[in-house]
Amino acid sequence: MRIAIGSDHRGVSVRHSIIELLKRLGHEVHDVGAFDCGSVDYPDIAATVSQSVAASEVDRGILICGSGIGMAIVANKVPGVRAATCHDDLTAEMSRRHNNVNVLCLSADMLGERLIDRMVEIWLTTEFEGGRHARRIEKISEFEKRLHEHDPS
Ligand SMILES: O=C[C@H](O)[C@H](O)[C@H](O)COP(=O)(O)O
């Protein structure tokens, strides 16, 4: 898969470790930074990764900040993006099976490296179940369209 990945200053070392994992697993990595440990604003990074996913330049996105929360707030503003902050194996798995999440958001401050690696692998390999869940995803898309009709800018 083509995977865009980005972090703010809090997630730099976790991002590097996930990039190593992704490469070992044979994925194509699009690293959008941040490229040093100086303070950056998570909305800038989240917007870049999410727009890349929405434009189908990549298949999936991964975002890391202190809590994983700010990244998800921003990512979910982008039509076509379904982002979730996951904390463990089960949330990573369910985000794929039921929600077809295409942007995984992770906390650099609250999760260990081994757990993160496991969650990323689970998230990359778990298929969307479709069926009734596809109907619900379609409702999200319709809702996005209705919102966009009111403010097409
Ligand atoms: O949801 C936001 C993230 O956790 C950020 O990583 C965090 O707010 C950054 O905080 P600070 O500027 O204190 O490093």
Side-chain angles (χ1 to χ4, degrees):
M1 271 189 263
R2 300 162 303 161
I3 300 169
I5 184 166
S7 75
D8 73 357
H9 48 284
R10 287 187 184 249
V12 170
S13 92
V14 168
R15 188 180 92 251
H16 286 145
S17 134
I18 295 175
I19 288 171
E20 288 308 308
L21 172 70
L22 295 174
K23 287 182 175 166
R24 273 203 310 278
L25 294 173
H27 297 288
E28 180 183 313
V29 177
H30 297 227
D31 183 10
V32 311
F35 293 111
D36 61 45
C37 287
S39 182
V40 295
D41 297 333
Y42 63 82
D44 300 330
I45 302 287
T48 303
V49 166
S50 303
Q51 287 175 310
S52 184
V53 171
S56 298
E57 292 162 2
V58 292
D59 303 299
R60 304 261 190 100
I62 299 176
L63 290 164
I64 310 108
C65 63
S67 64
I69 294 171
M71 291 295 197
I73 290 172
V74 179
N76 278 313
K77 306 269 180 223
V78 177
V81 166
R82 292 174 301 281
T85 307
C86 296
H87 301 285
D88 51 29
D89 296 359
L90 191 57
T91 47
E93 180 187 335
M94 294 310 292
S95 77
R96 289 290 313 140
R97 284 175 54 188
H98 283 202
N99 310 108
N100 202 9
V101 156
N102 52 13
V103 175
L104 174 66
C105 302
L106 295 165
S107 162
D109 292 350
M110 301 166 203
L111 305 175
E113 196 175 304
R114 283 179 61 196
L115 173 60
I116 286 178
D117 280 2
R118 210 170 58 229
M119 288 170 64
V120 168
E121 283 208 55
I122 289 169
W123 182 74
L124 289 171
T125 54
T126 304
E127 296 292 333
F128 177 49
E129 280 181 10
R132 68 188 185 281
H133 306 297
R135 181 181 72 238
R136 292 158 188 165
I137 298 296
E138 187 50 38
K139 288 191 176 187
I140 295 172
S141 302
E142 285 163 12
F143 182 52
E144 283 174 343
K145 275 186 213 131
R146 285 203 304 279
L147 291 174
H148 190 66
E149 278 161 15
H150 291 298
D151 178 13
S153 60

